[in-house]
Amino acid sequence: MSSINPTPRDHNKAHVLDVVLSRAPLTRNKLIELTGLSKATVSRAVEELRADGFVMDGGVDAVAGRGRPSTYLDVPETAGHVVGVSFGAVTTGVLVSDLRGREIGHVIVPTVEHHDVTAAGRWLVDLITRTSASARGPLRQVVAALPAHVRDGAEVFRPADPMKIFSGGDLHRTVEELLAAPVTFDSDANASLLQVLTDDTSIHDAALFSVSSTLNFATCRGRELARGRTPAFGDIGSLSSGIDDRTLSELLSTAGLVKFAREHGLDVERVEDLWLSPQDHRARAETLTAFTTAVTTAVSIVAVTLDPESVYFVGRLRPLVDEVLPEVRERLARNMPATPRITTVSQILGLSVARGAVHACLAMTHHRLRDTLLKARGKAPQQEQAAPAF
């Protein structure tokens, strides 16, 4: 009877799977270089993974001069797919990709207002199902990012005002049961920061503020997202803004800033009206001054407590952040010995956050497949099958 513990051969196969999933398409020579394994070990692992349904031959690498061309190794579409969701208060985006991160399809729609959690779950699942219609292989993972704080990947608390009914874990249970696949909820700030990290591999320690329907915060150390141990982690919006008795959330969220502007005599219906108001309007100037103070306070807090290299701002209030950043930098320079780089990030509404969620999906799926492979060592490789063995 074979041991239940993975053997070195199993670990080698898992290592090859890791590299193929993250770096395909690639040649066998490149795979040998990246894994540090022998040619024979890599060849054996590749053939086993081919039988499992996770490796296929791709194109041919053109070789200049003498020598045999190398065949690229790739991940077949039948290995499965993942879904990233940006479930926002205003817009919902769904992005479907294969296990290599290649887009299969996406959709961006206005978020339908629901007063029933079950109905909302069905609406979201229907959107995911329709967007995934052309995908092949099993649905491996869904990550839905919301304008809210999320605990343990399932429990939503303090969401944006239009999404209050989603507090708790009922929405997560509904979506997971209807899809019959692993579903994880996360904050839109975490998804946005993952996208930033993917776009710029030089970033290691950073903080990000999502300033939209609600104020959300994310941070990373050594490119790893910080999750915290308690629900209080990341709730920077409950801290004082430095303006009267208002919190950061009351000035760095769309609803809160509109309310402040109205209280000071500015006739605005939505936050975008602030960009259109006359620059010399007294009430606009007061609103902008308060907003500048709130941004300065927020950056100061993370600068002295987390010491990030960079601080990013994303979301619907980004144009206003761009307007006040010169003053923010000047204030910080006067009061701090050193300050992080502060910048805004442009996003495609409903899609950029979904892309970040897809990156989270892929990381979770790759890790799960590796673990499953190591636990399935007793299963013999199977010949030519249409779907993966695990």
Side-chain angles (χ1 to χ4, degrees):
M1 183 175 179
S2 62
S3 169
I4 61 172
N5 294 320
T7 66
R9 176 171 172 171
D10 298 322
H11 283 286
N12 289 338
K13 180 179 175 182
H15 187 24
V16 170
L17 176 63
D18 279 341
V19 175
V20 170
L21 288 174
S22 60
R23 299 294 292 272
L26 77 172
T27 64
R28 286 176 184 263
N29 287 339
K30 187 65 175 179
L31 183 56
I32 292 168
E33 175 190 333
L34 292 172
T35 59
L37 300 173
S38 70
K39 181 178 180 180
T41 298
V42 168
S43 294
R44 181 172 58 243
V46 165
E47 293 313 306
E48 291 180 5
L49 288 170
R50 188 194 306 278
D52 291 333
F54 286 98
V55 172
M56 61 176 284
D57 290 334
V60 175
D61 183 24
V63 176
R66 294 177 176 272
R68 296 176 58 188
S70 297
T71 300
Y72 277 102
L73 300 172
D74 209 342
V75 181
E77 293 180 358
T78 50
H81 61 285
V82 298
V83 179
V85 180
S86 171
F87 192 17
V90 176
T91 303
T92 295
V94 174
L95 177 63
V96 183
S97 86
D98 65 12
L99 297 193
R100 237 189 69 195
R102 294 170 292 197
E103 180 178 328
I104 295 172
H106 76 265
V107 65
I108 304 170
V109 299
T111 300
V112 174
E113 184 177 356
H114 291 283
H115 302 286
D116 176 79
V117 173
T118 301
R122 288 173 177 160
W123 175 80
L124 187 58
V125 167
D126 179 65
L127 200 59
I128 291 170
T129 302
R130 286 188 282 113
T131 311
S132 306
S134 62
R136 302 172 63 193
L139 173 57
R140 299 285 184 177
Q141 178 72 52
V142 175
V143 170
L146 293 84
H149 295 266
V150 179
R151 181 168 52 193
D152 299 329
E155 185 180 358
V156 179
F157 55 104
R158 293 192 296 284
D161 287 338
M163 307 177 80
K164 290 297 185 186
I165 64 164
F166 302 141
S167 294
D170 289 346
L171 180 64
H172 179 267
R173 283 190 292 271
T174 299
V175 173
E176 193 163 63
E177 287 172 4
L178 289 172
L179 285 175
V183 176
T184 299
F185 282 2
D186 206 347
S187 72
D188 54 3
N190 278 337
S192 293
L193 185 53
L194 277 175
Q195 183 61 44
V196 169
L197 293 172
T198 302
D199 291 340
D200 188 346
T201 57
S202 69
I203 300 169
H204 291 88
D205 306 326
L208 179 142
F209 293 95
S210 178
V211 284
S212 283
S213 302
T214 189
L215 172 63
N216 260 341
F217 172 75
T219 185
C220 68
R221 177 70 65 180
R223 297 184 64 81
E224 291 293 325
L225 291 184
R227 299 289 181 177
R229 294 181 295 274
T230 69
F233 180 78
D235 190 19
I236 197 170
S238 61
L239 302 179
S240 172
S241 67
I243 298 294
D244 301 327
D245 59 349
R246 297 178 191 267
T247 64
L248 286 171
S249 286
E250 290 177 293
L251 289 176
L252 296 182
S253 66
T254 54
L257 194 60
V258 166
K259 180 181 179 182
F260 182 92
R262 287 174 180 168
E263 290 174 355
H264 286 74
L266 200 59
D267 185 18
V268 292
E269 290 297 323
R270 56 197 188 102
V271 75
E272 286 78 8
D273 294 336
L274 285 170
W275 333 149
L276 306 176
S277 301
Q279 296 285 331
D280 58 352
H281 195 293
R282 179 189 56 79
R284 185 185 191 278
E286 292 177 353
T287 301
L288 213 62
T289 297
F291 184 75
T292 304
T293 298
V295 171
T296 304
T297 301
V299 174
S300 299
I301 291 169
V302 301
V304 300
T305 57
L306 300 174
D307 192 28
E309 301 165 317
S310 303
V311 175
Y312 299 93
F313 283 84
V314 300
R316 288 172 63 196
L317 290 176
R318 181 187 59 82
L320 209 59
V321 176
D322 277 324
E323 187 174 343
V324 305
L325 264 187
E327 173 66 17
V328 170
R329 294 187 183 109
E330 186 176 328
R331 291 190 190 186
L332 290 169
R334 286 199 303 264
N335 297 292
M336 299 181 66
T339 59
R341 183 173 69 98
I342 312 166
T343 187
T344 60
V345 179
S346 298
Q347 290 185 318
I348 301 173
L349 188 63
L351 188 57
S352 294
V353 171
R355 283 178 178 149
V358 162
H359 295 310
C361 282
L362 293 173
M364 292 177 188
T365 301
H366 294 180
H367 182 75
R368 186 183 302 119
L369 288 174
R370 186 182 191 283
D371 282 354
T372 303
L373 184 156
L374 292 175
K375 292 174 182 176
R377 71 168 314 274
K379 297 180 180 179
Q382 301 176 26
Q383 300 297 319
E384 299 299 327
Q385 54 190 42
F390 52 89

